[in-house]
Amino acid sequence: MRRFLFITALMCVFSLTAFAQSNVGSITGRVTYGGENTALHDASVTIVQLRRSVKTDDEGVFEIRDVPAGRYTLLVHIEGFADATKIVDVAAGATQTVNFTLEISALRADVTVTSSGTEQSVFDSFQTVNSVPTTRIMEKASVSLGEVLENETGVAKRSFGVGSSRPVIRSFDGDRVLVLQDGVRSGSVGSQSGDHGESVDPLAAERIEVVKGPGTLLYGSNAIGGVVNVIGNDENQPHSGLRGFLTGVAGTADRQGGLSGGLEYGYKNWIFRGNLSGQRTGDYDTPIGRIQNSSSRSNTGSFGLGYYAKKGWLSGSYNADVRRYGVPFASLFHGHEHEEDEDEDEDHHHHENADIDLRQRRMNFRISGGFRELNNPFLSGLQYTLNYTDYRHKEIETLDGIDEVGTRFDNKTFSYRTLFEQTKYKNLTGRFGFEGFSRDYEVNGEEQLIEGKVRHNSFSAFALEELAFERVKFQFGGRVETNRYRPDNPALIVRDFTGFSGGIGVNIGLWKGGSFIANYTNSYRAAALEELYNRGPHIGTVTFEIGNPNLRAERSNGFDFSLRHTSDRFRISGDFFYYRINNFIFLAPQDEDSDGEVDVEDFLPVGRYSQGDAEYIGAELNADVTFNKYLGGFLSLDTVRAKLVDEKLNLPRITPARARVGLNARYRNLNVRPEAVFVADQDKTFPLETRTAGYGIFNVAGSYIIGGQHYAHIFTFNAYNLTDRLYRNHLSYIKEYAPETGRGIRFGYTIRFF
């Protein structure tokens, strides 16, 4: 009897083992790149849903065993290449073969970490994301972020000259668009003024992600319009040996020259990183002549050291950014000039320039780290960052070659963020965390808009959950945030804001590769520091600004709908959005004496921060198709309408309707992309805002790659505005004076070794 029971138990064990083995499969494949299918070694291959990763061998081959039967997203990543994803169905007891051919892509990147806090395909994301790869960044190489992103679907640029351009998402600007660098606030004051740029170096970026629509759940009330994340490195795994790149760019229309390089050396579990970059541009050419005082220069450097173990990592880094750029025609708006007689005034305009001398020091003590594969019933991992930024810029007036500091801005920020990854429970996954910052802001000098230092403290806690079934996924979450303003000046009142943001979304799989996504977000935004306390002449907005310390928080109800399809030959994403924003804060012209004319003070029109209900309605389409192995095409459309509801007034500086269409011709490692960009008239304008005429321009960009197993030479070119068309950017504060750049060509060369 005992023998019988023993044999029965043994058979049960073997049966269970066999059942367990039959309920799993494996995935194998090869990762290559280029027309010659060159093997890529040490590439990371990840099953996104299971957070399991392996590396490719010297032949580019990988294998993942014991994968439970089901449908998964497979993601391949190696620095310098566009990440790729594929959907794979793993059958019980079978081996699925999936091969990848990566691109040093000129068109797109397929991965986002910004929209959900973890890696996923942009087509799986609940929010609409533009992921811009390194080659396209190099084609648009500039000292400013807005210049690089201006032709992305749904993204325009606000500027007061080339050096200060900043991204505008779906016509949201300023404090409603959050700029991050490797997921951390940049610490600049670029959101506060049209002549303040972002101190972020695009040449050092591996990719730039633009999350369109409210990013308030993960990133706070400053992201009510969207998020721009400049990613230089997002790996937290060790590697051995040397990796790096060296990039050079040169352009004709602005006599551009730039050099950027980075090295990464891995030894056992340690990795050392270093980057240096420098760019120079002269005054840029237009069809009506050269725009004086539009030149720029920037120098950036970063150094870091990290330790990467199997279940955790810790790294620290230091960043420095020093730049200077001209602000064209700023001297026209300086009131003190008009106090002189006309002869002196004319001569004064001739010789005076207004520059920004910006210096930023960022100690990414960014102590950055985390833990993974915790095997905890509640938590599978966590990430944390600590960051201190000491930001200063000076506005320098130059008269007869002599520099004089007019205004100095200081902004010191300490920020922190912790994100917890939940252990998957049945169909539920998610992440939650907390973040905050403490900021000391002070302005001194001629353009002292606020007297005395203002301390701004913020803290928030958030959660974002996802419930996934075979064809339907739900996402829901919330965030509680508090903002406290403490001015030193007793004449300015203390303000506290606390609010809740929440959202829910559904992602429905309609067919293979096709999905419909709908999101509803109720978002809160605290009034910004400048909206509360500014008072004085502000050249950056060409206004004598009067803040309103009694402003209430904004409350937005937003609806986003997206229809997407992806396959080997065809990709399309169509989006529609509607946002109703109660207590919308805007700078309104003031007419206190009711004479029908805007008040003038210090020779600038007076604007007072006011509130009203506003709505934004818009649509976007982004598509690309592969006709055959030699030819493809792409199309991009976007339009937005924004107005104050009760007053029935159009809001200022709203992006006009735009279309971009082109071809993508390929032969082996050569890629050439002719395109046409069409922009409609913008005649739906705010009072005192002028109409901007529509235009069409033609560009040709391309790249050629010479590759080997451990290196790649990448040559790029971008010939822009080929017909030398005279056109103006509706979102520029100086559009009446300065048109956009004329005909030119930009060349780039990069060598990558890996």
Side-chain angles (χ1 to χ4, degrees):
M1 184 64 178
R2 290 179 180 176
R3 182 178 297 177
F4 174 76
L5 291 174
F6 175 76
I7 294 173
T8 302
L10 198 61
M11 291 177 63
C12 288
V13 169
F14 279 121
S15 298
L16 289 171
T17 303
F19 176 78
Q21 290 177 341
S22 66
N23 201 38
V24 299
S26 61
I27 305 172
T28 187
R30 189 165 183 256
V31 179
T32 60
Y33 82 97
E36 306 301 326
N37 290 325
T38 305
L40 268 177
H41 75 102
D42 216 26
S44 174
V45 184
T46 302
I47 301 176
V48 173
Q49 290 83 354
L50 301 179
R51 302 284 191 270
R52 288 179 55 186
S53 298
V54 297
K55 298 276 189 176
T56 57
D57 62 19
D58 287 342
E59 300 302 318
V61 176
F62 69 91
E63 183 179 14
I64 308 176
R65 300 178 179 177
D66 299 327
V67 180
R71 172 170 288 189
Y72 301 99
T73 300
L74 210 60
L75 183 155
V76 178
H77 170 81
I78 184 170
E79 282 192 24
F81 292 82
D83 292 351
T85 61
K86 286 188 178 181
I87 303 296
V88 56
D89 291 304
V90 178
T95 298
Q96 184 73 29
T97 300
V98 185
N99 295 321
F100 288 87
T101 301
L102 300 191
E103 299 178 5
I104 303 178
S105 177
L107 272 182
R108 63 175 186 265
D110 289 337
V111 173
T112 173
V113 298
T114 311
S115 62
S116 65
T118 188
E119 280 189 322
Q120 63 178 165
S121 165
V122 295
F123 265 67
D124 290 335
S125 168
F126 276 79
Q127 288 186 277
T128 302
V129 180
N130 293 7
S131 192
V132 185
T134 180
T135 303
R136 201 157 84 235
I137 294 170
M138 191 164 61
E139 291 174 359
K140 297 281 291 181
S142 173
V143 296
S144 62
L145 200 54
E147 296 288 324
V148 173
L149 298 175
E150 68 168 318
N151 283 334
E152 294 299 312
T153 309
V155 185
K157 68 173 183 181
R158 176 214 73 191
S159 71
F160 209 121
V162 175
S164 62
S165 70
R166 190 177 191 268
V168 174
I169 302 176
R170 292 179 173 176
S171 290
F172 287 103
D173 187 17
D175 188 62
R176 298 179 181 90
V177 172
L178 180 63
V179 175
L180 307 173
Q181 187 161 20
D182 290 323
V184 175
R185 292 171 179 269
S186 67
S188 78
V189 293
S191 66
Q192 296 181 202
S193 178
D195 61 352
H196 295 175
E198 289 291 343
S199 52
V200 173
D201 179 24
L203 280 186
E206 287 292 333
R207 69 179 185 273
I208 301 174
E209 295 180 6
V210 181
V211 180
K212 294 179 284 187
T216 48
L217 298 188
L218 279 181
Y219 299 103
S221 64
N222 306 108
I224 198 169
V227 178
V228 177
N229 191 9
V230 181
I231 298 173
N233 174 73
D234 61 351
E235 285 191 310
N236 53 34
Q237 298 279 355
H239 67 79
S240 59
L242 190 67
R243 295 180 182 177
F245 72 95
L246 180 66
T247 294
V249 295
T252 61
D254 55 2
R255 292 156 296 284
Q256 178 187 19
L259 192 65
S260 180
L263 290 175
E264 190 175 279
Y265 181 74
Y267 176 73
K268 295 184 178 179
N269 293 99
W270 293 92
I271 293 181
F272 169 80
R273 297 185 178 97
N275 285 74
L276 290 173
S277 179
Q279 276 202 79
R280 298 290 187 275
T281 65
D283 295 338
Y284 71 90
D285 292 328
T286 75
I288 61 173
R290 188 168 294 175
I291 302 301
Q292 298 298 317
N293 197 40
S294 61
S295 61
S296 64
R297 64 177 183 261
S298 70
N299 297 282
T300 65
S302 64
F303 303 93
L305 180 67
Y307 181 82
Y308 300 87
K310 180 179 180 181
K311 292 195 174 185
W313 72 97
L314 178 67
S315 68
S317 61
Y318 172 80
N319 246 350
D321 188 301
V322 180
R323 61 182 65 204
R324 178 166 174 160
Y325 55 87
V327 182
F329 303 100
S331 59
L332 294 177
F333 309 113
H334 277 279
H336 63 77
E337 293 180 15
H338 297 269
E339 297 168 4
E340 307 169 7
D341 63 46
E342 292 184 3
D343 292 336
E344 290 176 343
D345 207 28
E346 183 178 351
D347 184 67
H348 199 73
H349 284 309
H350 232 357
H351 297 287
E352 181 179 288
N353 291 327
D355 288 353
I356 301 293
D357 183 2
L358 181 152
R359 289 179 175 85
Q360 180 177 10
R361 299 169 297 277
R362 179 181 300 150
M363 290 175 288
N364 271 353
F365 221 30
R366 201 178 141 197
I367 285 182
S368 170
F371 299 94
R372 52 179 168 253
E373 300 177 20
L374 294 180
N375 297 323
N376 183 285
F378 303 106
L379 295 177
S380 61
L382 70 90
Q383 305 171 34
Y384 58 87
T385 59
L386 300 171
N387 188 77
Y388 174 75
T389 300
D390 184 358
Y391 174 99
R392 169 178 291 181
H393 85 225
K394 302 172 183 177
E395 297 189 357
I396 299 173
E397 298 176 19
T398 305
L399 180 60
D400 295 325
I402 300 174
D403 288 351
E404 180 180 342
V405 177
T407 309
R408 191 181 76 188
F409 292 78
D410 288 286
N411 194 50
K412 298 180 180 181
T413 306
F414 171 73
S415 62
Y416 53 91
R417 178 180 173 90
T418 300
L419 182 70
F420 298 91
E421 285 281 347
Q422 297 169 209
T423 300
K424 184 176 180 180
Y425 176 73
K426 295 184 178 179
N427 296 324
L428 181 68
T429 59
R431 55 208 60 88
F432 61 92
F434 61 89
E435 70 172 336
F437 63 85
S438 178
R439 169 191 181 197
D440 287 344
Y441 174 77
E442 188 171 10
V443 186
N444 290 286
E446 182 179 300
E447 203 174 300
Q448 187 174 18
L449 295 166
I450 303 174
E451 292 187 8
K453 184 184 296 183
V454 179
R455 292 176 176 83
H456 178 192
N457 294 307
S458 177
F459 178 79
S460 56
F462 57 88
L464 190 65
E465 305 293 313
E466 188 172 308
L467 192 60
F469 300 97
E470 184 175 354
R471 300 184 69 89
V472 179
K473 294 186 293 184
F474 296 95
Q475 189 180 80
F476 52 93
R479 181 187 189 96
V480 176
E481 178 178 320
T482 181
N483 287 273
R484 295 171 293 173
Y485 297 100
R486 299 292 184 267
D488 283 352
N489 186 349
L492 302 177
I493 67 173
V494 169
R495 288 302 310 270
D496 290 335
F497 296 89
T498 301
F500 174 80
S501 297
I504 186 169
V506 59
N507 185 325
I508 304 171
L510 301 177
W511 57 80
K512 185 178 180 180
S515 60
F516 172 76
I517 299 99
N519 286 288
Y520 165 72
T521 309
N522 183 277
S523 299
Y524 140 93
R525 184 181 84 91
L529 182 149
E530 62 273 14
E531 296 166 344
L532 293 169
Y533 301 122
N534 272 9
R535 185 179 182 89
H538 192 183
I539 305 306
T541 57
V542 196
T543 309
F544 187 96
E545 287 187 18
I546 300 177
N548 184 350
N550 298 311
L551 291 172
R552 292 167 291 171
E554 292 180 352
R555 176 62 63 181
S556 170
N557 289 284
F559 297 88
D560 289 82
F561 303 96
S562 182
L563 183 64
R564 304 173 191 169
H565 174 77
T566 181
S567 66
D568 291 338
R569 296 177 64 91
F570 187 62
R571 295 163 53 100
I572 186 169
S573 175
D575 302 280
F576 171 81
F577 58 88
Y578 172 80
Y579 307 126
R580 173 65 180 255
I581 307 175
N582 298 325
N583 300 324
F584 182 81
I585 300 170
F586 63 100
L587 194 58
Q590 177 178 282
D591 179 16
E592 284 195 335
D593 54 12
S594 302
D595 64 353
E597 299 289 337
V598 178
D599 299 338
V600 174
E601 191 164 344
D602 280 2
F603 305 96
L604 291 171
V606 177
R608 183 183 295 272
Y609 282 103
S610 302
Q611 292 189 285
D613 294 343
E615 63 180 15
Y616 283 68
I617 304 173
E620 298 162 353
L621 178 68
N622 196 19
D624 61 81
V625 59
T626 301
F627 302 123
N628 54 48
K629 68 177 183 177
Y630 300 112
L631 189 65
F634 56 90
L635 173 67
S636 169
L637 306 170
D638 60 60
T639 182
V640 61
R641 180 78 189 277
K643 61 183 180 181
L644 294 171
V645 177
D646 296 332
E647 294 85 351
K648 295 182 172 55
L649 293 176
N650 298 306
L651 285 169
R653 289 183 297 280
I654 299 302
T655 309
R658 307 180 303 171
R660 179 169 166 255
V661 60
L663 295 174
N664 183 23
R666 300 176 297 269
Y667 180 73
R668 293 184 178 269
N669 292 335
L670 176 66
N671 178 284
V672 179
R673 289 177 293 108
E675 68 175 23
V677 178
F678 302 101
V679 178
D681 292 359
Q682 182 55 286
D683 54 8
K684 299 176 177 63
T685 57
F686 192 66
L688 299 181
E689 187 182 22
T690 56
R691 168 188 173 274
T692 305
Y695 58 88
I697 59 174
F698 300 92
N699 313 312
V700 179
S703 62
Y704 181 71
I705 301 169
I706 302 173
Q709 187 172 6
H710 298 286
Y711 67 89
H713 299 280
I714 309 149
F715 301 88
T716 64
F717 73 91
N718 182 17
Y720 47 88
N721 196 4
L722 293 174
T723 60
D724 205 26
R725 176 66 185 269
L726 177 67
Y727 69 100
R728 301 176 189 272
N729 173 23
H730 185 71
L731 278 63
S732 170
Y733 283 93
I734 52 172
K735 64 176 183 176
E736 282 83 6
Y737 304 97
E740 296 299 292
T741 305
R743 178 170 45 230
I745 187 168
R746 181 181 294 109
F747 297 99
Y749 165 73
T750 297
I751 180 172
R752 288 191 174 273
F753 41 95
F754 37 84

